[in-house]
């Protein structure tokens, strides 16, 4: 039996990865290592929490001793590292937390893996999950490839870039088997409603203004979260150590067009008159240093590993809206308390 530690498994993408591994690989012991910050929610994994090959371990990756002791306890064969502070707006108001979790936390995991494996790397892998934002911002044309030079421009992307560099450095210097993948914007069930799509769904549902930064002209490449989880599965099993894989949806949307599309879906689902949800669109002050466009060239993972996205945007948006409307309790719980304070602070001066 193999043991895999998945960090950040109670978060948005991590919960889909944990579920997929727990269900598809009964011969793996899956240890979900998560601090349960505001973004971590064990309810995301309610359906698999009693599976015999699933274990939850509450731990903070910034705490070196804690991480060493968890690694010694489970003696993992592989790490899939998703734990991170992940929201650009929060990184603008509080960069230090991002440096601690994303950089120091990653170094602690690398050190623990290196120590435990003691240079006997046979069958071992440290797989680091990263973002396309490390490549910076594109103009109207072009795509990020695995060779695009790093040019991070927000505290979030700078901290992710730092962690990517460290993973590569451990691979190069100590021979630690490591892979990195850089993915575009994800959407789908369980995403915390501080990110654009779930925030807009929540506001539309309760007839609150939908805040669109600037003129809504920024472009993102959206991928359904289960397609990302499938890519992670494939890379973990078939990717080559030392390599980087870009993952994208080939699905670019201007924010304002995406919001209009989402409003149409919501009007339909909520039996509202056409245009009612769109009347909530409100242009607000732009994000500081707002990257204009991200777009991924996924041809390497498509050619070398045979991955491709399977959920088209129309289907994916419908599935996502259906999930949020059906899981009212999940949504109401996460938007109470701390979230309210966050929302007031983040949007009051926009
Ligand atoms: P998320 O914010 O939803 O979840 C992060 C998880 O990490 C939470 O469960 C949180 O409790 C945990 N965590 C945070 N700090 C921790 C710490 N110090 N110790 C242990 N656990 C901690 O994030 P997400 O959107 O699921 O992103 C997961 C990963 O994927 C991140 O590394 C992110 O950079 C990357 N990524 C995200 C996207 C996206 O669109 N969301 C796209 C590409 C890459
Ligand atoms: P977000 O979901 O925060 O992801 P990222 O910044 O990592 O791409 O934002 C997606 C896009 O939507 C980004 O261009 C910022 C914009 N945005 C808004 O216009 N309004 C909002 O309230 C939020 C949260 C984001």
């Amino acid at each position: 039996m193999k043991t895999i530690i998945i960090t950040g498994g109670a978060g948005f993408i991590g919960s889909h990865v944990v579920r997929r591994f727990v269900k598809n690989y009964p011969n793996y012991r899956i240890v979900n290592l998560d601090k349960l910050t505001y973004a971590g929610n064990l309810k995301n994994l309610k359906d698999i929490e009693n599976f015999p090959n699933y274990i939850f371990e509450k731990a903070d990756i910034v705490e070196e001793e804690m991480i060493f002791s968890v690694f010694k306890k489970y003696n993992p064969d592989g790490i899939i590292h998703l734990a991170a502070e992940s929201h650009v707006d929060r990184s603008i108001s509080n960069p230090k937390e991002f440096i601690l979790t994303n950089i120091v936390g990653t170094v602690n995991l690398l050190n623990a893996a290196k120590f435990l494996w003691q240079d006997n790397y046979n069958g071992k892998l440290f797989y680091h999950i990263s973002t396309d934002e490390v490549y910076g911002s594109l103009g109207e044309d072009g795509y990020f490839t695995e060779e695009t030079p790093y040019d991070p421009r927000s505290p979030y992307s700078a901290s992710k870039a730092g962690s990517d560099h460290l993973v590569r450095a451990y691979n190069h210097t100590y021979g630690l088997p490591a892979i990195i993948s850089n993915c575009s914007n994800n959407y789908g069930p369980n995403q915390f409603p501080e990110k654009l799509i779930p925030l807009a769904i929540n506001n539309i549902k309760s007839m609150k203004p939908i805040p669109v930064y600037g003129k809504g002209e920024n472009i993102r490449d959206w991928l359904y979260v289960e397609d990302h989880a499938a890519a992670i599965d494939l890379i973990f099993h078939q990717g080559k150590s030392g390599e980087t894989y870009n993952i994208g949806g080939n699905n670019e949307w201007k924010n304002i067009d995406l919001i209009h599309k989402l409003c149409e879906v919501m009007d339909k689902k909520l039996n509202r008159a056409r245009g009612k949800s769109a009347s909530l669109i409100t242009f607000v002050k732009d994000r500081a240093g707002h990257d204009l466009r991200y777009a991924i060239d996924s041809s390497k993972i498509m050619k070398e590993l045979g991955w491709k996205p399977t959920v088209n945007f129309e289907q994916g948006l419908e599935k996502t809206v259906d999930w949020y409307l059906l899981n009212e309790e999940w949504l109401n719980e996460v938007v109470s308390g701390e979230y309210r304070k966050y929302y007031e602070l983040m949007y009051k001066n926009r």
Side-chain angles (χ1 to χ4, degrees):
M1 193 174 211
K2 264 193 174 186
T3 297
I4 320 283
I5 291 185
I6 300 183
T7 72
F12 165 48
I13 302 171
S15 62
H16 291 272
V17 176
V18 165
R19 176 176 301 98
R20 185 179 175 99
F21 274 71
V22 165
K23 285 192 164 171
N24 289 2
Y25 302 103
N27 55 330
Y28 290 178
R29 178 167 68 148
I30 301 300
V31 181
N32 172 12
L33 186 165
D34 198 299
K35 177 184 173 184
L36 298 182
T37 66
Y38 76 94
N41 187 346
L42 288 177
K43 295 213 166 123
N44 294 344
L45 292 164
K46 202 94 207 102
D47 56 321
I48 56 112
E49 67 184 5
N50 293 321
F51 276 51
N53 62 336
Y54 171 70
I55 298 167
F56 174 67
E57 191 70 50
K58 186 170 185 315
D60 182 346
I61 60 171
V62 179
E63 301 291 330
E64 188 175 15
E65 274 181 31
M66 197 187 274
I67 292 311
F68 269 69
S69 87
V70 174
F71 272 53
K72 281 185 201 147
K73 180 170 166 193
Y74 293 105
N75 195 18
D77 303 283
I79 321 296
I80 306 180
H81 174 35
L82 295 107
E85 286 292 336
S86 68
H87 186 36
V88 175
D89 293 317
R90 284 185 193 254
S91 83
I92 294 169
S93 33
N94 183 15
K96 196 167 170 195
E97 199 63 35
F98 285 68
I99 307 311
L100 289 173
T101 289
N102 298 359
I103 300 185
V104 177
T106 300
V107 171
N108 287 339
L109 294 169
L110 287 165
N111 283 338
K114 182 175 169 298
F115 171 81
L116 194 76
W117 295 338
Q118 296 284 348
D119 300 330
N120 180 6
Y121 293 139
N122 206 4
K124 308 287 196 270
L125 181 65
F126 190 102
Y127 177 14
H128 177 63
I129 307 301
S130 193
T131 166
D132 60 356
E133 304 191 24
V134 297
Y135 297 120
S137 180
L138 292 164
E140 286 184 0
D141 327 299
Y143 294 91
F144 298 135
T145 72
E146 288 79 1
E147 273 73 50
T148 302
Y150 274 32
D151 182 23
R153 296 147 46 100
S154 73
Y156 164 65
S157 54
S159 67
K160 289 297 289 187
S163 63
D164 292 9
H165 288 319
L166 284 157
V167 173
R168 285 198 185 96
Y170 273 62
N171 175 257
H172 182 78
T173 309
Y174 308 113
L176 188 87
I179 297 182
I180 300 176
S181 59
N182 298 79
C183 189
S184 64
N185 286 59
N186 285 215
Y187 70 101
N190 300 126
Q191 188 168 30
F192 194 80
E194 64 187 354
K195 307 274 170 76
L196 180 66
I197 291 182
L199 183 139
I201 293 175
N202 183 42
N203 287 17
I204 295 169
K205 183 171 159 267
S206 35
M207 285 300 289
K208 278 189 4 201
I210 312 165
V212 175
Y213 298 167
K215 295 184 180 143
E217 283 174 346
N218 305 68
I219 296 173
R220 300 290 182 263
D221 170 6
W222 295 92
L223 179 70
Y224 192 66
V225 62
E226 284 177 2
D227 278 328
H228 188 191
I232 289 173
D233 185 347
L234 204 58
I235 291 170
F236 181 75
H237 289 101
Q238 292 176 35
K240 277 219 305 265
S241 175
E243 295 285 319
T244 296
Y245 299 88
N246 279 358
I247 310 167
N250 196 20
N251 177 41
E252 290 181 52
W253 285 81
K254 258 189 192 162
N255 291 340
I256 188 66
D257 297 338
L258 184 158
I259 291 296
H260 274 289
K261 179 107 201 130
L262 183 62
C263 287
E264 278 171 33
V265 177
M266 293 290 284
D267 281 343
K268 203 171 76 186
K269 299 279 175 192
L270 296 169
N271 292 319
R272 285 183 183 165
R274 239 177 131 222
K276 180 151 184 206
S277 299
S279 70
L280 299 167
I281 292 174
T282 309
F283 293 97
V284 299
K285 189 168 156 223
D286 210 350
R287 173 186 279 171
H290 198 172
D291 287 342
L292 177 66
R293 174 171 168 257
Y294 306 140
I296 280 271
D297 174 347
S298 321
S299 49
K300 177 174 173 182
I301 183 175
M302 290 171 114
K303 265 195 225 126
E304 293 185 9
L305 303 182
W307 174 86
K308 63 173 190 315
T310 61
V311 179
N312 74 37
F313 199 48
E314 277 70 23
Q315 287 168 341
L317 261 193
E318 287 222 13
K319 272 155 81 116
T320 305
V321 168
D322 286 343
W323 186 86
Y324 280 93
L325 294 180
L326 201 71
N327 289 274
E328 238 184 344
E329 200 187 305
W330 183 97
L331 189 59
N332 290 342
E333 228 167 80
V334 301
V335 299
S336 61
E338 281 304 308
Y339 179 80
R340 286 214 186 135
K341 276 189 236 154
Y342 160 82
Y343 197 91
E344 270 161 35
L345 259 177
M346 200 59 91
Y347 290 91
K348 94 176 162 204
N349 294 324
R350 285 199 188 269

